[in-house]
Amino acid sequence: MAVAVAAARFGGPSRGLGQAGLLLLRRLGDRRLPRSQPRRLQQQHFSSLDDKPQFPGASAEFIDKLEFIQPNVISGIPIYRVMDRQGQIINPSEDPHLPQEKVLKFYKSMTLLNTMDRILYESQRQGRISFYMTNYGEEGTHVGSAAALDNTDLVFGQYREAGVLMYRDYPLEKFMAQCYGNVNDLGKGRQMPVHYGCRERHFVTISSPLATQIPQAVGAAYAAKRANANRIVICYFGEGAASEGDAHAGFNFAATLECPIIFFCRNNGYAISTPTSEQYRGDGIAARGPGYGILSIRVDGNDVFAVYNATKEARRRAVAENQPFLIEAMTYRIGHHSTSDDSSAYRSVDEVNYWDKQDHPISRLRHYMQSHGWWDDEQEKAWRKQSRKKVMEAFEQAERKLKPNPKLLFSDVYQEMPAQLRKQQESLARHLQTYGEHYPLDHFEQ
């Protein structure tokens, strides 16, 4: 320290010490360090076998052979399942042994969603609503995961998770109100169809841009951890969204901050028209988890019990251990990506028919129920008729409702409306006052 002070006095760091300064430093050094005890570091010597890496960024050993790591370190991550395609339990120890009433709720939620999809899809084709996205073939991923959660767990969806809300008893009237954008829509008609949200059911409103929900979900999970809330966050996304930068940022933040979150990837084979063979070269999405330090599993997404078991265990450990989990549910998107897509342009009818007829999550669960004597053809026929009636009643009710007041376009964003936004509101009011006869204003609430 004294040496440093002397150096500063003789000109500081920006100037040379000069001969006098060097002489003084030598004398100071001679006084503090006796010649009989030279100040030298003793270097330790290790044999090549005992030499251990000390780099802070990785846990590894040295090797003396040049070798690149192969993309598939193991020969394909296995797919966990409980039922075969005929609804038979493969390993009795993995049977969740759910009561009949719960399994019936699984089935009715999945089939009611399927019925709603068919009616709203046709509604769009008839010009009654502007847009729609079906959930055909992926019902098992929604219901199996939703059933394993606590009702207070926070859900961040992408746009194909309506079954999660369905299982949480979200009313059909609210589904219809959102798609029609009428006065009963919780979003007041300001979102495009299928962008659901419900605070009471802890379902965050869906956003259109892919993967934006992933880092948001991690932030919510971190907040839950800091609050000791004893809850988790589940974040749904498709394998296509996993290619977005937000996914990688979210995975890394969740791992390093040790957040209680389940990343639930629906790998349905296509990102709109892009098949998985053109999306990635690695072993799917589950293979990415270990690279971030995330416990990961791949499940049969068409097996509702496999999805349920995996999500339930991931939730238990996420709460107990404050760490993230990644579940990759392998499934198949039977329907078009949306009403703006024609999937016949990039896949065959035979391919779609196979998954629809041979490996559908609804038919698999129906086989299970029938083998237990919990369901038969008469009950199936009666339920299909009843579910269609329920959907049609909500559909007709939604169509009769007025649209929200146009003034609501400008509310609920700022506590105090900025001058620029107020100017736009006034401009719209003047426009409608002058040209209102050209608009169907009688369809809007006044």
Side-chain angles (χ1 to χ4, degrees), residues 192-209:
M192 63 188 296
V194 307
H195 287 55
Y196 311 110
C198 181
R199 177 179 294 180
E200 290 75 17
R201 288 168 177 81
H202 306 283
F203 193 100
V204 179
T205 303
I206 291 167
S207 300
S208 291

Side-chain angles (χ1 to χ4, degrees), residues 266-333:
R266 299 173 292 93
N267 191 333
N268 63 19
Y270 291 89
I272 308 182
S273 61
T274 305
T276 53
S277 60
E278 297 178 18
Q279 292 180 50
Y280 50 75
R281 285 293 178 268
D283 185 17
I285 310 305
R288 301 178 190 178
Y292 291 100
I294 298 176
L295 288 167
S296 307
I297 190 171
R298 174 176 287 158
V299 304
D300 182 346
N302 293 344
D303 178 351
V304 70
F305 292 158
V307 175
Y308 174 82
N309 284 353
T311 308
K312 184 178 180 181
E313 178 63 8
R315 188 203 181 275
R316 182 189 70 79
R317 293 187 61 181
V319 170
E321 303 167 14
N322 273 328
Q323 65 171 316
F325 286 78
L326 171 60
I327 297 174
E328 181 182 21
M330 309 305 292
T331 183
Y332 188 82
R333 194 197 77 211

Side-chain angles (χ1 to χ4, degrees), residues 183 402-406 408 441-446:
V183 292
L402 292 174
K403 303 293 183 184
N405 191 308
L408 294 175
L441 295 179
D442 56 325
H443 295 174
F444 290 79
E445 192 176 51
Q446 300 302 313

